């Protein structure tokens, strides 16, 4: 069994490589479980309903011109494309790329005294996610 330490994850929002600001990136997806049980069934029968998900990225903030805050702020309230893969290297069977669209529904500013300026943002998916291996 191979193991992977994330040292160079690739995170892209709206065609901008955001990896240099990101500390973590996670894509969580799920399908709603709909109860399809009827009288006489001894067990619950589930069928998949609508799929949904969230892209969560933890950023270190940068307020300089053309940096993170200036890049994210104009996107607030819009749907933009994203790409995420375990490593910044080429897309392959061992480095799959997940892509789709997210709603930039959050923008946070601030933090705690004596800590790095940063933000953890969760963006809901908007439509299907694709997985590419080449």
């Amino acid at each position: 069994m191979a193991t992977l330490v994330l040292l160079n994850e690739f995170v892209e929002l709206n065609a901008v490589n955001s990896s240099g600001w990101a500390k973590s990136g996670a894509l969580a997806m799920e399908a709603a479980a709909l109860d399809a049980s009827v009288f006489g069934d001894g067990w619950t029968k589930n069928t998949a309903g609508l799929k949904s998900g969230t892209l969560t990225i933890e950023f270190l903030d940068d307020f300089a011109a053309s940096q993170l805050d200036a890049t994210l702020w104009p996107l607030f309230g819009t749907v933009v494309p994203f790409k995420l893969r375990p490593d910044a290297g080429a897309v392959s069977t061992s480095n799959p790329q997940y892509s789709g669209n997210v709603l930039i529904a959050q923008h946070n500013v601030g933090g705690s005294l004596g800590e790095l300026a940063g933000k953890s943002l969760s963006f809901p998916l908007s439509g299907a996610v694709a997985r590419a291996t080449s």
Side-chain angles (χ1 to χ4, degrees):
M1 177 175 138
T3 58
L4 174 67
V5 176
L6 294 175
L7 297 174
N8 196 24
E9 187 175 55
F10 179 78
V11 179
E12 184 180 282
L13 283 173
N14 201 36
V16 174
N17 183 344
S18 304
S19 303
W21 299 302
K23 288 186 68 157
S24 71
L27 178 61
M29 297 164 283
E30 64 182 38
L34 303 177
D35 186 347
S37 306
V38 296
F39 292 120
D41 289 340
W43 291 81
T44 301
K45 292 180 186 173
N46 286 296
T47 189
L50 290 174
K51 297 173 185 166
S52 63
T54 304
L55 175 65
T56 302
I57 306 171
E58 183 180 349
F59 290 110
L60 291 180
D61 244 333
D62 192 335
F63 296 95
S66 301
Q67 297 301 312
L68 181 67
D69 191 69
T71 300
L72 288 180
W73 176 246
L75 303 178
F76 181 57
T78 66
V79 174
V80 300
F82 78 90
K83 293 179 184 173
L84 180 74
R85 54 183 187 266
D87 187 80
V91 176
S92 68
T93 55
S94 61
N95 192 34
Q97 177 170 279
Y98 295 85
S99 61
N101 292 301
V102 290
L103 171 61
I104 306 298
Q106 290 185 326
H107 188 83
N108 300 335
V109 178
S112 298
L113 176 66
E115 294 187 2
L116 290 171
K119 55 179 128 221
S120 182
L121 301 174
S122 293
F123 306 126
L125 293 176
S126 181
V129 171
R131 182 181 185 271
T133 58
S134 62

